[in-house]
Amino acid sequence: MEQYENIQQKPVGDMSVGEWLITMLIMIIPIVNIVMLFIWGFGSPDKRRNYARASLIWMAISIVLIIIFYGAIFALIISTSSL
């Protein structure tokens, strides 16, 4: 009985300019961009994997900062309106 090693295939080569243009086009479409980032970041090996993961991390950081900012503004409005 032969044993086969489970080896993940890594993407080969760099992305062409055309592939980057298509990637950038996909990134400007709302909702689709988030879905594609998850597919590229956590799906089968893709040349865009690190880009997708980095973009998702920046999105998470931005969301946290926005929540903190609006929370601070809301708290300021509530505290000044009770005077």
Side-chain angles (χ1 to χ4, degrees):
M1 188 162 119
E2 294 180 25
Q3 291 183 340
Y4 295 98
E5 292 182 28
N6 187 8
I7 300 173
Q8 278 190 331
Q9 295 178 353
K10 291 193 174 188
V12 179
D14 293 331
M15 288 180 53
S16 68
V17 173
E19 289 174 318
W20 275 115
L21 290 173
I22 292 171
T23 300
M24 294 169 90
L25 178 66
I26 291 170
M27 290 297 103
I28 62 173
I29 303 171
I31 307 300
V32 173
N33 59 359
I34 296 171
V35 171
M36 290 307 294
L37 285 174
F38 278 102
I39 291 171
W40 291 331
F42 303 106
S44 61
D46 192 284
K47 297 175 187 177
R48 302 171 192 94
R49 174 175 275 178
N50 289 334
Y51 168 77
R53 290 180 178 178
S55 295
L56 288 169
I57 290 169
W58 276 117
M59 281 185 190
I61 290 169
S62 299
I63 289 170
V64 169
L65 291 176
I66 289 170
I67 290 170
I68 290 170
F69 176 75
Y70 281 112
I73 297 295
F74 181 72
L76 181 65
I77 291 171
I78 294 298
S79 67
T80 57
S81 66
S82 64
L83 294 176

